[in-house]
């Protein structure tokens, strides 16, 4: 888990303290985590922009970008292309490989072959 240090207006600090004292949040950290989580849930474009920027700067993999943007890898590839970002091909690390294996195992294939297709194959 990452730590963030920052400053914000005194009135906002008082509201957060009041919410903690009222039992709305377990602590200031909980309140700030909730605010940020809700912001990115409500602002899809900003979430996608953040994922694109991180991928473009080679800070994250395609799988990470897709997860952060809350889209699948294929959609993320399209999004990156739309933003003019060059795709990095290949697996970056073991986590990236594990994600690829998991995604591939979730694919469904139609294994039923019709009688017509079987007779044509013979």
């Amino acid at each position: 888990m990452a730590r963030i240090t920052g400053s914000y207006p005194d009135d906002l600090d008082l509201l957060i303290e009041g919410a903690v004292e009222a039992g709305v949040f377990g602590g200031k950290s909980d309140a700030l985590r909730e605010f940020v989580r809700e912001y990115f849930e409500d602002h899809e474009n900003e979430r996608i922009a953040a994922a694109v920027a991180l991928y473009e700067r080679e800070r994250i993999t395609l799988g990470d970008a897709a997860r952060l943007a809350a889209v699948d890898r294929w959609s993320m590839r399209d999004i990156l292309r739309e933003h003019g970002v060059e795709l990095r091909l290949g697996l970056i690390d073991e986590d990236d490989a594990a994600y690829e294996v998991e995604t591939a195992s979730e694919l469904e294939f139609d294994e039923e072959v019709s009688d017509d297709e079987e007779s044509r194959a013979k």
Side-chain angles (χ1 to χ4, degrees):
M1 188 175 300
R3 288 188 161 265
I4 298 175
T5 303
S7 58
Y8 43 89
D10 290 337
D11 285 350
L12 183 56
D13 188 51
L14 287 172
L15 286 171
I16 293 170
E17 280 185 33
V20 170
E21 289 177 19
V24 176
F25 299 106
K28 284 184 177 182
S29 292
D30 292 340
L32 294 173
R33 270 193 299 274
E34 182 66 16
F35 296 150
V36 171
R37 185 189 60 74
E38 283 186 20
Y39 175 83
F40 282 112
E41 282 181 0
D42 293 343
H43 295 86
E44 177 183 15
N45 291 337
E46 287 79 358
R47 187 177 62 240
I48 289 171
V52 168
L54 291 168
Y55 181 85
E56 185 173 29
R57 288 166 183 77
E58 298 184 7
R59 302 263 322 272
I60 60 174
T61 65
L62 178 64
D64 292 331
R67 180 177 48 79
L68 292 175
V71 299
D72 61 62
R73 279 181 177 235
W74 307 115
S75 297
M76 192 69 222
R77 288 177 188 199
D78 293 339
I79 290 167
L80 291 167
R81 286 185 189 113
E82 289 169 9
H83 285 84
V85 176
E86 187 175 325
L87 294 176
R88 298 186 310 269
L89 302 177
L91 301 175
I92 303 300
D93 56 25
E94 289 181 23
D95 290 337
D96 200 31
Y99 182 90
E100 289 289 345
V101 169
E102 179 183 338
T103 301
S105 68
E106 292 173 359
L107 294 175
E108 295 182 16
F109 296 98
D110 186 11
E111 294 184 19
E112 293 182 27
V113 178
S114 69
D115 291 336
D116 292 337
E117 289 174 335
E118 278 185 30
S119 58
R120 274 188 259 140
K122 292 180 182 179

